[in-house]
Amino acid sequence: MPVINSKNGKETDQLTRVQELVYELRVDEVMTADVRTVSPDTTMAELMAIMRINRISGLPVVEQDEMVGIVSLEDLVKAVADGHPEDSVRNRMSRKIVSVRADERAVQAVKLFAQHGFGRLPVLDSAGKLVGILTGSDITRGLLRSLSTRYHAEEMRRYRASHIFEDIDSEETSLVLRYHVAGRDFNQGGQASSKLKRALERLGANPPLLRRVSVSAYEAEMNLIIHTSNGGELRAEISPHRITLITEDDGPGISDVEAVFQPGYTTAPDWVRELGFGAGMGLTNVKRFSDEAFIESHPGSGTRLTAIFNVPPPGGDGGSDDDQ
Amino acid sequence: MKLDDIITILEGRVLTRTGTNDLEIQSCGSADLMSDVLAFQTEESGLLLTGLTNQQVIRTAEMANINAIVFVRGKIPPQSTIDLAEELSIPLISCFHSMYKASGLLYNAGLPDNGVVSIPCR
């Protein structure tokens, strides 16, 4: 059975992914490579037929393999309105060409569209040769395509991870995740818990359980950082019905293991308190958010904190929460 | 309440490139003690008002479902804090009000408090 009934990523994550994509997509990934061109000697009336048949609203004008201009529906409308449909494209096209390079980011093209109000941009390779044409809808289509590919890849990873306990046949399957935590390194604090949280998310932990384990792991990780100089290990043993969180160190140990679970009991130095921790609430939080928590320690021989979380059956509400 | 409305009420300034993304904020808490934040935050998407600016504020937010952070008294966090927030898509806002006043303004505007803890009896 899956450990997890998964609730998918937040909407903000999706939006951020779209933003990232716009910056990652290259022009040649989204442009139309099969580009239709016209010769400058084409008449505007002939151009009208080409546009209608191909359902396009603008084309690069090419003479002897070189782009000399660009002609759009707007130029055509003007020619007809002026009563000169027999005029050549040469006399009606725009010679001021704004183009993008094939290896540029699509976001560069988005900027140019906004800046100049053009509907399309010719795409040139590094030698200045016309290799494609790009419109706003090319970019939108490329984004959607790329987004759906990624979405499926992430769905697949999530699916595989959340079914690991079903797919592997044994009498009892558990997954152990280990993270080393460096002592006294306050800035790195939380990295292990952050990785653990992401792993549990992928395994499909439901949000209340995910938060209870993450908060407890984070408090336990901060304890390693604050109280030991060599750091220690943060370990999570995940099985279909329970998650066991263990931190272990070879630090100074605790003389009174009863007292440390009392709210407000602290031996943290002042510098830790200035950083927003060390008020004697860490272990209180671990106890509060876990189903069972205990400490084994002897002064001088290190400390082991164990917190156990029962995994609710799929569809459950995540188990006990704020119990007060 | 929309994060954009909160920014308007607090006359705040967004510090991260992560946009406010039309974010809906359901509750709010004010604290300088991160263990308090970890204890009180519920399932809903929450806002944190704080005077602390180190990276642990961002890690705390990550663990506790805090979706946006407001620094009070015009505090600007170090770049390392902003970088981590951007990596985790958590918008950061700075406002000039004190924690007390900023909390009051949002409470008056109808943003609910995010946690009640009963006092244990001896």
Side-chain angles (χ1 to χ4, degrees), chain A residues 12 16 186-187 189 191 194 197 211 218-219 274-276 281 285 288-289, chain B residues 23 32-36 38-39 41 43 52 54-56 59-60 62-63 89:
Chain A
T12 42
T16 316
F186 201 82
N187 280 335
Q191 283 190 357
S194 171
K197 186 184 182 196
R211 181 173 61 98
Y218 182 46
E219 291 282 16
E274 278 159 25
L275 293 167
M281 285 189 52
N285 273 348
R288 180 171 169 208
F289 283 121
Chain B
L23 202 59
D32 281 346
L33 179 60
M34 292 303 110
S35 287
D36 261 345
L38 292 167
Q41 178 58 30
E43 260 336 288
L52 273 186
N54 63 58
Q55 287 182 45
Q56 296 314 317
R59 285 291 179 208
T60 299
E62 182 191 8
M63 300 304 154
S89 310

PDB file of all heavy atoms in Angstrom, chain A residues 12 16 186-187 189 191 194 197 211 218-219 274-276 281 285 288-289, chain B residues 23 32-36 38-39 41 43 52 54-56 59-60 62-63 89:
ATOM      1  N   THR A  12       2.079  27.741  -6.574  1.00  0.00           N
ATOM      2  CA  THR A  12       3.213  28.653  -6.745  1.00  0.00           C
ATOM      3  C   THR A  12       4.404  27.941  -7.361  1.00  0.00           C
ATOM      4  O   THR A  12       5.132  28.519  -8.153  1.00  0.00           O
ATOM      5  CB  THR A  12       3.644  29.253  -5.398  1.00  0.00           C
ATOM      6  OG1 THR A  12       3.623  28.232  -4.426  1.00  0.00           O
ATOM      7  CG2 THR A  12       2.750  30.378  -4.973  1.00  0.00           C
ATOM      8  N   THR A  16       6.328  29.191 -10.709  1.00  0.00           N
ATOM      9  CA  THR A  16       7.756  29.443 -10.747  1.00  0.00           C
ATOM     10  C   THR A  16       8.403  28.614 -11.844  1.00  0.00           C
ATOM     11  O   THR A  16       9.308  29.059 -12.528  1.00  0.00           O
ATOM     12  CB  THR A  16       8.388  29.095  -9.394  1.00  0.00           C
ATOM     13  OG1 THR A  16       7.553  29.625  -8.391  1.00  0.00           O
ATOM     14  CG2 THR A  16       9.763  29.692  -9.279  1.00  0.00           C
ATOM     15  N   PHE A 186      25.793  27.113  11.713  1.00  0.00           N
ATOM     16  CA  PHE A 186      24.426  27.605  11.795  1.00  0.00           C
ATOM     17  C   PHE A 186      23.809  27.898  10.428  1.00  0.00           C
ATOM     18  O   PHE A 186      22.635  27.635  10.201  1.00  0.00           O
ATOM     19  CB  PHE A 186      24.401  28.862  12.662  1.00  0.00           C
ATOM     20  CG  PHE A 186      23.047  29.152  13.221  1.00  0.00           C
ATOM     21  CD1 PHE A 186      22.600  28.502  14.361  1.00  0.00           C
ATOM     22  CD2 PHE A 186      22.210  30.065  12.602  1.00  0.00           C
ATOM     23  CE1 PHE A 186      21.340  28.758  14.865  1.00  0.00           C
ATOM     24  CE2 PHE A 186      20.947  30.313  13.117  1.00  0.00           C
ATOM     25  CZ  PHE A 186      20.515  29.669  14.243  1.00  0.00           C
ATOM     26  N   ASN A 187      24.645  28.428   9.502  1.00  0.00           N
ATOM     27  CA  ASN A 187      24.094  28.798   8.196  1.00  0.00           C
ATOM     28  C   ASN A 187      23.607  27.609   7.381  1.00  0.00           C
ATOM     29  O   ASN A 187      22.713  27.741   6.562  1.00  0.00           O
ATOM     30  CB  ASN A 187      25.128  29.582   7.395  1.00  0.00           C
ATOM     31  CG  ASN A 187      25.168  31.026   7.835  1.00  0.00           C
ATOM     32  OD1 ASN A 187      24.177  31.545   8.359  1.00  0.00           O
ATOM     33  ND2 ASN A 187      26.303  31.666   7.656  1.00  0.00           N
ATOM     34  N   GLY A 189      22.272  25.063   8.674  1.00  0.00           N
ATOM     35  CA  GLY A 189      21.207  24.418   9.443  1.00  0.00           C
ATOM     36  C   GLY A 189      19.924  24.299   8.645  1.00  0.00           C
ATOM     37  O   GLY A 189      19.475  25.267   8.029  1.00  0.00           O
ATOM     38  N   GLN A 191      19.472  22.147   6.124  1.00  0.00           N
ATOM     39  CA  GLN A 191      19.644  21.524   4.798  1.00  0.00           C
ATOM     40  C   GLN A 191      19.222  20.060   4.808  1.00  0.00           C
ATOM     41  O   GLN A 191      18.576  19.591   3.884  1.00  0.00           O
ATOM     42  CB  GLN A 191      21.095  21.633   4.350  1.00  0.00           C
ATOM     43  CG  GLN A 191      21.428  23.012   3.847  1.00  0.00           C
ATOM     44  CD  GLN A 191      22.789  23.070   3.177  1.00  0.00           C
ATOM     45  OE1 GLN A 191      23.513  22.084   3.129  1.00  0.00           O
ATOM     46  NE2 GLN A 191      23.123  24.235   2.670  1.00  0.00           N
ATOM     47  N   SER A 194      15.524  19.829   4.985  1.00  0.00           N
ATOM     48  CA  SER A 194      14.941  20.252   3.725  1.00  0.00           C
ATOM     49  C   SER A 194      14.978  19.093   2.709  1.00  0.00           C
ATOM     50  O   SER A 194      13.990  18.832   2.010  1.00  0.00           O
ATOM     51  CB  SER A 194      15.728  21.460   3.211  1.00  0.00           C
ATOM     52  OG  SER A 194      15.336  21.778   1.916  1.00  0.00           O
ATOM     53  N   LYS A 197      12.497  16.505   3.749  1.00  0.00           N
ATOM     54  CA  LYS A 197      11.122  16.924   3.446  1.00  0.00           C
ATOM     55  C   LYS A 197      10.793  16.648   1.979  1.00  0.00           C
ATOM     56  O   LYS A 197       9.737  16.117   1.653  1.00  0.00           O
ATOM     57  CB  LYS A 197      10.946  18.410   3.750  1.00  0.00           C
ATOM     58  CG  LYS A 197       9.511  18.848   3.584  1.00  0.00           C
ATOM     59  CD  LYS A 197       9.290  20.321   3.778  1.00  0.00           C
ATOM     60  CE  LYS A 197       7.800  20.605   3.635  1.00  0.00           C
ATOM     61  NZ  LYS A 197       7.513  22.020   3.430  1.00  0.00           N
ATOM     62  N   ARG A 211       4.439  17.848   7.564  1.00  0.00           N
ATOM     63  CA  ARG A 211       4.807  18.997   8.392  1.00  0.00           C
ATOM     64  C   ARG A 211       5.291  18.536   9.758  1.00  0.00           C
ATOM     65  O   ARG A 211       6.283  19.034  10.286  1.00  0.00           O
ATOM     66  CB  ARG A 211       3.620  19.941   8.552  1.00  0.00           C
ATOM     67  CG  ARG A 211       3.936  21.170   9.384  1.00  0.00           C
ATOM     68  CD  ARG A 211       2.775  22.129   9.369  1.00  0.00           C
ATOM     69  NE  ARG A 211       1.590  21.515   9.935  1.00  0.00           N
ATOM     70  CZ  ARG A 211       1.200  21.707  11.187  1.00  0.00           C
ATOM     71  NH1 ARG A 211       1.891  22.478  11.987  1.00  0.00           N
ATOM     72  NH2 ARG A 211       0.125  21.126  11.637  1.00  0.00           N
ATOM     73  N   TYR A 218      13.769  19.298  11.749  1.00  0.00           N
ATOM     74  CA  TYR A 218      14.454  20.586  11.762  1.00  0.00           C
ATOM     75  C   TYR A 218      14.897  20.963  13.175  1.00  0.00           C
ATOM     76  O   TYR A 218      16.035  21.383  13.404  1.00  0.00           O
ATOM     77  CB  TYR A 218      13.523  21.624  11.165  1.00  0.00           C
ATOM     78  CG  TYR A 218      14.085  22.998  11.054  1.00  0.00           C
ATOM     79  CD1 TYR A 218      15.367  23.212  10.543  1.00  0.00           C
ATOM     80  CD2 TYR A 218      13.328  24.108  11.412  1.00  0.00           C
ATOM     81  CE1 TYR A 218      15.867  24.494  10.411  1.00  0.00           C
ATOM     82  CE2 TYR A 218      13.823  25.383  11.285  1.00  0.00           C
ATOM     83  CZ  TYR A 218      15.094  25.576  10.780  1.00  0.00           C
ATOM     84  OH  TYR A 218      15.582  26.846  10.660  1.00  0.00           O
ATOM     85  N   GLU A 219      14.027  20.787  14.145  1.00  0.00           N
ATOM     86  CA  GLU A 219      14.394  21.079  15.539  1.00  0.00           C
ATOM     87  C   GLU A 219      15.542  20.162  15.987  1.00  0.00           C
ATOM     88  O   GLU A 219      16.491  20.591  16.633  1.00  0.00           O
ATOM     89  CB  GLU A 219      13.193  20.876  16.477  1.00  0.00           C
ATOM     90  CG  GLU A 219      12.077  21.914  16.308  1.00  0.00           C
ATOM     91  CD  GLU A 219      12.385  23.254  16.977  1.00  0.00           C
ATOM     92  OE1 GLU A 219      13.559  23.510  17.308  1.00  0.00           O
ATOM     93  OE2 GLU A 219      11.439  24.052  17.156  1.00  0.00           O
ATOM     94  N   GLU A 274      19.969  34.703  20.036  1.00  0.00           N
ATOM     95  CA  GLU A 274      19.859  35.886  19.171  1.00  0.00           C
ATOM     96  C   GLU A 274      19.443  35.494  17.765  1.00  0.00           C
ATOM     97  O   GLU A 274      18.910  36.288  17.018  1.00  0.00           O
ATOM     98  CB  GLU A 274      21.196  36.628  19.119  1.00  0.00           C
ATOM     99  CG  GLU A 274      21.388  37.531  20.327  1.00  0.00           C
ATOM    100  CD  GLU A 274      22.850  37.869  20.552  1.00  0.00           C
ATOM    101  OE1 GLU A 274      23.620  37.830  19.584  1.00  0.00           O
ATOM    102  OE2 GLU A 274      23.200  38.152  21.715  1.00  0.00           O
ATOM    103  N   LEU A 275      19.704  34.262  17.394  1.00  0.00           N
ATOM    104  CA  LEU A 275      19.355  33.812  16.047  1.00  0.00           C
ATOM    105  C   LEU A 275      17.956  33.193  15.989  1.00  0.00           C
ATOM    106  O   LEU A 275      17.545  32.670  14.965  1.00  0.00           O
ATOM    107  CB  LEU A 275      20.403  32.813  15.556  1.00  0.00           C
ATOM    108  CG  LEU A 275      21.787  33.432  15.320  1.00  0.00           C
ATOM    109  CD1 LEU A 275      22.846  32.368  15.140  1.00  0.00           C
ATOM    110  CD2 LEU A 275      21.769  34.359  14.122  1.00  0.00           C
ATOM    111  N   GLY A 276      17.233  33.238  17.105  1.00  0.00           N
ATOM    112  CA  GLY A 276      15.841  32.790  17.062  1.00  0.00           C
ATOM    113  C   GLY A 276      15.607  31.368  17.515  1.00  0.00           C
ATOM    114  O   GLY A 276      14.529  30.821  17.341  1.00  0.00           O
ATOM    115  N   MET A 281      12.454  25.097  23.433  1.00  0.00           N
ATOM    116  CA  MET A 281      11.198  24.627  22.848  1.00  0.00           C
ATOM    117  C   MET A 281      11.392  23.545  21.800  1.00  0.00           C
ATOM    118  O   MET A 281      10.434  22.950  21.326  1.00  0.00           O
ATOM    119  CB  MET A 281      10.461  25.799  22.210  1.00  0.00           C
ATOM    120  CG  MET A 281       9.840  26.686  23.251  1.00  0.00           C
ATOM    121  SD  MET A 281       8.772  27.868  22.462  1.00  0.00           S
ATOM    122  CE  MET A 281       7.751  26.808  21.477  1.00  0.00           C
ATOM    123  N   ASN A 285       8.712  20.768  20.933  1.00  0.00           N
ATOM    124  CA  ASN A 285       8.076  20.673  19.616  1.00  0.00           C
ATOM    125  C   ASN A 285       8.168  19.257  19.053  1.00  0.00           C
ATOM    126  O   ASN A 285       7.206  18.749  18.477  1.00  0.00           O
ATOM    127  CB  ASN A 285       8.712  21.658  18.625  1.00  0.00           C
ATOM    128  CG  ASN A 285       8.063  23.036  18.683  1.00  0.00           C
ATOM    129  OD1 ASN A 285       6.999  23.194  19.297  1.00  0.00           O
ATOM    130  ND2 ASN A 285       8.688  24.020  18.067  1.00  0.00           N
ATOM    131  N   ARG A 288       5.693  17.171  20.823  1.00  0.00           N
ATOM    132  CA  ARG A 288       4.339  17.555  20.484  1.00  0.00           C
ATOM    133  C   ARG A 288       3.922  17.040  19.102  1.00  0.00           C
ATOM    134  O   ARG A 288       2.775  16.644  18.886  1.00  0.00           O
ATOM    135  CB  ARG A 288       4.288  19.077  20.511  1.00  0.00           C
ATOM    136  CG  ARG A 288       2.973  19.663  20.193  1.00  0.00           C
ATOM    137  CD  ARG A 288       3.039  21.146  20.486  1.00  0.00           C
ATOM    138  NE  ARG A 288       1.870  21.777  19.950  1.00  0.00           N
ATOM    139  CZ  ARG A 288       1.846  23.047  19.557  1.00  0.00           C
ATOM    140  NH1 ARG A 288       2.932  23.781  19.658  1.00  0.00           N
ATOM    141  NH2 ARG A 288       0.749  23.553  19.086  1.00  0.00           N
ATOM    142  N   PHE A 289       4.865  17.045  18.171  1.00  0.00           N
ATOM    143  CA  PHE A 289       4.502  16.687  16.798  1.00  0.00           C
ATOM    144  C   PHE A 289       4.666  15.191  16.494  1.00  0.00           C
ATOM    145  O   PHE A 289       4.196  14.713  15.483  1.00  0.00           O
ATOM    146  CB  PHE A 289       5.316  17.509  15.799  1.00  0.00           C
ATOM    147  CG  PHE A 289       4.818  18.916  15.655  1.00  0.00           C
ATOM    148  CD1 PHE A 289       5.636  20.005  15.925  1.00  0.00           C
ATOM    149  CD2 PHE A 289       3.516  19.167  15.252  1.00  0.00           C
ATOM    150  CE1 PHE A 289       5.164  21.296  15.802  1.00  0.00           C
ATOM    151  CE2 PHE A 289       3.029  20.459  15.128  1.00  0.00           C
ATOM    152  CZ  PHE A 289       3.859  21.528  15.403  1.00  0.00           C
TER     153      PHE A 289
ATOM    154  N   LEU B  23      -0.600  35.184  -4.637  1.00  0.00           N
ATOM    155  CA  LEU B  23      -0.645  34.271  -3.505  1.00  0.00           C
ATOM    156  C   LEU B  23      -1.772  34.630  -2.532  1.00  0.00           C
ATOM    157  O   LEU B  23      -1.961  35.789  -2.197  1.00  0.00           O
ATOM    158  CB  LEU B  23       0.698  34.368  -2.783  1.00  0.00           C
ATOM    159  CG  LEU B  23       1.148  33.227  -1.898  1.00  0.00           C
ATOM    160  CD1 LEU B  23       1.246  31.940  -2.700  1.00  0.00           C
ATOM    161  CD2 LEU B  23       2.521  33.559  -1.320  1.00  0.00           C
ATOM    162  N   ASP B  32       9.799  36.318  16.798  1.00  0.00           N
ATOM    163  CA  ASP B  32      11.240  36.313  16.568  1.00  0.00           C
ATOM    164  C   ASP B  32      11.834  34.992  17.014  1.00  0.00           C
ATOM    165  O   ASP B  32      13.008  34.737  16.836  1.00  0.00           O
ATOM    166  CB  ASP B  32      11.909  37.455  17.343  1.00  0.00           C
ATOM    167  CG  ASP B  32      11.736  38.779  16.616  1.00  0.00           C
ATOM    168  OD1 ASP B  32      11.348  38.750  15.432  1.00  0.00           O
ATOM    169  OD2 ASP B  32      11.978  39.824  17.238  1.00  0.00           O
ATOM    170  N   LEU B  33      11.010  34.171  17.621  1.00  0.00           N
ATOM    171  CA  LEU B  33      11.484  32.870  18.096  1.00  0.00           C
ATOM    172  C   LEU B  33      11.018  31.797  17.107  1.00  0.00           C
ATOM    173  O   LEU B  33       9.817  31.567  16.961  1.00  0.00           O
ATOM    174  CB  LEU B  33      10.920  32.609  19.495  1.00  0.00           C
ATOM    175  CG  LEU B  33      11.306  31.263  20.111  1.00  0.00           C
ATOM    176  CD1 LEU B  33      12.817  31.145  20.239  1.00  0.00           C
ATOM    177  CD2 LEU B  33      10.667  31.113  21.479  1.00  0.00           C
ATOM    178  N   MET B  34      11.977  31.206  16.423  1.00  0.00           N
ATOM    179  CA  MET B  34      11.620  30.291  15.345  1.00  0.00           C
ATOM    180  C   MET B  34      10.916  29.022  15.848  1.00  0.00           C
ATOM    181  O   MET B  34      10.066  28.468  15.165  1.00  0.00           O
ATOM    182  CB  MET B  34      12.862  29.942  14.513  1.00  0.00           C
ATOM    183  CG  MET B  34      13.396  31.117  13.728  1.00  0.00           C
ATOM    184  SD  MET B  34      12.163  31.855  12.606  1.00  0.00           S
ATOM    185  CE  MET B  34      11.824  33.409  13.392  1.00  0.00           C
ATOM    186  N   SER B  35      11.266  28.583  17.036  1.00  0.00           N
ATOM    187  CA  SER B  35      10.580  27.406  17.577  1.00  0.00           C
ATOM    188  C   SER B  35       9.093  27.687  17.797  1.00  0.00           C
ATOM    189  O   SER B  35       8.266  26.789  17.694  1.00  0.00           O
ATOM    190  CB  SER B  35      11.222  26.970  18.890  1.00  0.00           C
ATOM    191  OG  SER B  35      12.472  26.373  18.625  1.00  0.00           O
ATOM    192  N   ASP B  36       8.771  28.941  18.113  1.00  0.00           N
ATOM    193  CA  ASP B  36       7.361  29.337  18.240  1.00  0.00           C
ATOM    194  C   ASP B  36       6.663  29.220  16.894  1.00  0.00           C
ATOM    195  O   ASP B  36       5.542  28.732  16.808  1.00  0.00           O
ATOM    196  CB  ASP B  36       7.262  30.793  18.721  1.00  0.00           C
ATOM    197  CG  ASP B  36       7.006  30.875  20.208  1.00  0.00           C
ATOM    198  OD1 ASP B  36       6.631  29.844  20.798  1.00  0.00           O
ATOM    199  OD2 ASP B  36       7.179  31.963  20.775  1.00  0.00           O
ATOM    200  N   LEU B  38       7.504  27.335  14.399  1.00  0.00           N
ATOM    201  CA  LEU B  38       7.374  25.920  14.052  1.00  0.00           C
ATOM    202  C   LEU B  38       6.218  25.283  14.811  1.00  0.00           C
ATOM    203  O   LEU B  38       5.549  24.389  14.320  1.00  0.00           O
ATOM    204  CB  LEU B  38       8.677  25.185  14.370  1.00  0.00           C
ATOM    205  CG  LEU B  38       9.863  25.561  13.489  1.00  0.00           C
ATOM    206  CD1 LEU B  38      11.152  25.026  14.078  1.00  0.00           C
ATOM    207  CD2 LEU B  38       9.683  25.066  12.062  1.00  0.00           C
ATOM    208  N   ALA B  39       5.973  25.773  16.014  1.00  0.00           N
ATOM    209  CA  ALA B  39       4.911  25.191  16.830  1.00  0.00           C
ATOM    210  C   ALA B  39       3.530  25.676  16.430  1.00  0.00           C
ATOM    211  O   ALA B  39       2.581  24.912  16.438  1.00  0.00           O
ATOM    212  CB  ALA B  39       5.167  25.501  18.299  1.00  0.00           C
ATOM    213  N   GLN B  41       2.343  27.236  13.463  1.00  0.00           N
ATOM    214  CA  GLN B  41       1.809  27.279  12.102  1.00  0.00           C
ATOM    215  C   GLN B  41       0.956  26.039  11.807  1.00  0.00           C
ATOM    216  O   GLN B  41       1.329  24.923  12.098  1.00  0.00           O
ATOM    217  CB  GLN B  41       2.947  27.404  11.087  1.00  0.00           C
ATOM    218  CG  GLN B  41       2.501  27.409   9.646  1.00  0.00           C
ATOM    219  CD  GLN B  41       1.521  28.527   9.326  1.00  0.00           C
ATOM    220  OE1 GLN B  41       1.558  29.584   9.937  1.00  0.00           O
ATOM    221  NE2 GLN B  41       0.620  28.278   8.396  1.00  0.00           N
ATOM    222  N   GLU B  43      -1.936  24.022   8.933  1.00  0.00           N
ATOM    223  CA  GLU B  43      -1.881  23.515   7.563  1.00  0.00           C
ATOM    224  C   GLU B  43      -2.024  24.586   6.494  1.00  0.00           C
ATOM    225  O   GLU B  43      -1.554  24.454   5.380  1.00  0.00           O
ATOM    226  CB  GLU B  43      -2.994  22.477   7.346  1.00  0.00           C
ATOM    227  CG  GLU B  43      -2.523  21.061   7.422  1.00  0.00           C
ATOM    228  CD  GLU B  43      -1.048  20.896   7.129  1.00  0.00           C
ATOM    229  OE1 GLU B  43      -0.671  21.041   5.959  1.00  0.00           O
ATOM    230  OE2 GLU B  43      -0.264  20.642   8.062  1.00  0.00           O
ATOM    231  N   LEU B  52      13.778  38.965  12.611  1.00  0.00           N
ATOM    232  CA  LEU B  52      14.996  38.195  12.358  1.00  0.00           C
ATOM    233  C   LEU B  52      15.232  38.088  10.864  1.00  0.00           C
ATOM    234  O   LEU B  52      14.287  37.905  10.103  1.00  0.00           O
ATOM    235  CB  LEU B  52      14.847  36.776  12.903  1.00  0.00           C
ATOM    236  CG  LEU B  52      15.202  36.504  14.354  1.00  0.00           C
ATOM    237  CD1 LEU B  52      15.099  35.015  14.602  1.00  0.00           C
ATOM    238  CD2 LEU B  52      16.589  37.006  14.679  1.00  0.00           C
ATOM    239  N   ASN B  54      18.051  36.106   9.434  1.00  0.00           N
ATOM    240  CA  ASN B  54      19.025  35.086   9.006  1.00  0.00           C
ATOM    241  C   ASN B  54      18.353  33.964   8.197  1.00  0.00           C
ATOM    242  O   ASN B  54      17.135  33.899   8.083  1.00  0.00           O
ATOM    243  CB  ASN B  54      19.800  34.535  10.216  1.00  0.00           C
ATOM    244  CG  ASN B  54      18.891  33.824  11.193  1.00  0.00           C
ATOM    245  OD1 ASN B  54      18.213  32.866  10.843  1.00  0.00           O
ATOM    246  ND2 ASN B  54      18.858  34.305  12.428  1.00  0.00           N
ATOM    247  N   GLN B  55      19.200  33.093   7.646  1.00  0.00           N
ATOM    248  CA  GLN B  55      18.693  32.042   6.753  1.00  0.00           C
ATOM    249  C   GLN B  55      17.724  31.080   7.446  1.00  0.00           C
ATOM    250  O   GLN B  55      16.904  30.452   6.799  1.00  0.00           O
ATOM    251  CB  GLN B  55      19.856  31.215   6.204  1.00  0.00           C
ATOM    252  CG  GLN B  55      20.681  31.938   5.175  1.00  0.00           C
ATOM    253  CD  GLN B  55      21.787  31.046   4.651  1.00  0.00           C
ATOM    254  OE1 GLN B  55      21.582  29.883   4.335  1.00  0.00           O
ATOM    255  NE2 GLN B  55      22.992  31.587   4.570  1.00  0.00           N
ATOM    256  N   GLN B  56      17.869  30.964   8.768  1.00  0.00           N
ATOM    257  CA  GLN B  56      17.000  30.033   9.491  1.00  0.00           C
ATOM    258  C   GLN B  56      15.528  30.448   9.423  1.00  0.00           C
ATOM    259  O   GLN B  56      14.632  29.616   9.558  1.00  0.00           O
ATOM    260  CB  GLN B  56      17.447  29.890  10.945  1.00  0.00           C
ATOM    261  CG  GLN B  56      18.827  29.275  11.103  1.00  0.00           C
ATOM    262  CD  GLN B  56      19.012  28.054  10.224  1.00  0.00           C
ATOM    263  OE1 GLN B  56      18.135  27.208  10.122  1.00  0.00           O
ATOM    264  NE2 GLN B  56      20.154  27.970   9.568  1.00  0.00           N
ATOM    265  N   ARG B  59      14.401  28.713   6.350  1.00  0.00           N
ATOM    266  CA  ARG B  59      14.278  27.271   6.596  1.00  0.00           C
ATOM    267  C   ARG B  59      13.036  26.981   7.447  1.00  0.00           C
ATOM    268  O   ARG B  59      12.309  26.014   7.210  1.00  0.00           O
ATOM    269  CB  ARG B  59      15.521  26.743   7.323  1.00  0.00           C
ATOM    270  CG  ARG B  59      16.738  26.619   6.449  1.00  0.00           C
ATOM    271  CD  ARG B  59      16.576  25.503   5.426  1.00  0.00           C
ATOM    272  NE  ARG B  59      17.744  25.404   4.565  1.00  0.00           N
ATOM    273  CZ  ARG B  59      17.709  24.942   3.327  1.00  0.00           C
ATOM    274  NH1 ARG B  59      16.565  24.553   2.788  1.00  0.00           N
ATOM    275  NH2 ARG B  59      18.799  24.869   2.615  1.00  0.00           N
ATOM    276  N   THR B  60      12.825  27.829   8.442  1.00  0.00           N
ATOM    277  CA  THR B  60      11.651  27.660   9.304  1.00  0.00           C
ATOM    278  C   THR B  60      10.377  27.741   8.462  1.00  0.00           C
ATOM    279  O   THR B  60       9.464  26.919   8.597  1.00  0.00           O
ATOM    280  CB  THR B  60      11.636  28.733  10.400  1.00  0.00           C
ATOM    281  OG1 THR B  60      12.811  28.575  11.189  1.00  0.00           O
ATOM    282  CG2 THR B  60      10.409  28.623  11.288  1.00  0.00           C
ATOM    283  N   GLU B  62      10.081  27.118   5.327  1.00  0.00           N
ATOM    284  CA  GLU B  62       9.992  25.933   4.472  1.00  0.00           C
ATOM    285  C   GLU B  62       9.367  24.757   5.223  1.00  0.00           C
ATOM    286  O   GLU B  62       8.509  24.055   4.705  1.00  0.00           O
ATOM    287  CB  GLU B  62      11.403  25.554   3.988  1.00  0.00           C
ATOM    288  CG  GLU B  62      11.392  24.354   3.049  1.00  0.00           C
ATOM    289  CD  GLU B  62      12.795  23.805   2.768  1.00  0.00           C
ATOM    290  OE1 GLU B  62      13.757  24.262   3.419  1.00  0.00           O
ATOM    291  OE2 GLU B  62      12.901  22.918   1.916  1.00  0.00           O
ATOM    292  N   MET B  63       9.797  24.574   6.480  1.00  0.00           N
ATOM    293  CA  MET B  63       9.307  23.431   7.252  1.00  0.00           C
ATOM    294  C   MET B  63       7.867  23.621   7.707  1.00  0.00           C
ATOM    295  O   MET B  63       7.149  22.663   7.933  1.00  0.00           O
ATOM    296  CB  MET B  63      10.178  23.208   8.493  1.00  0.00           C
ATOM    297  CG  MET B  63      11.618  22.933   8.197  1.00  0.00           C
ATOM    298  SD  MET B  63      11.831  21.522   7.093  1.00  0.00           S
ATOM    299  CE  MET B  63      13.391  21.948   6.356  1.00  0.00           C
ATOM    300  N   SER B  89      11.239  29.758  -3.587  1.00  0.00           N
ATOM    301  CA  SER B  89      10.053  30.509  -4.054  1.00  0.00           C
ATOM    302  C   SER B  89       9.230  31.082  -2.917  1.00  0.00           C
ATOM    303  O   SER B  89       8.002  31.004  -2.931  1.00  0.00           O
ATOM    304  CB  SER B  89       9.148  29.632  -4.920  1.00  0.00           C
ATOM    305  OG  SER B  89       9.861  28.982  -5.904  1.00  0.00           O
TER     306      SER B  89
END
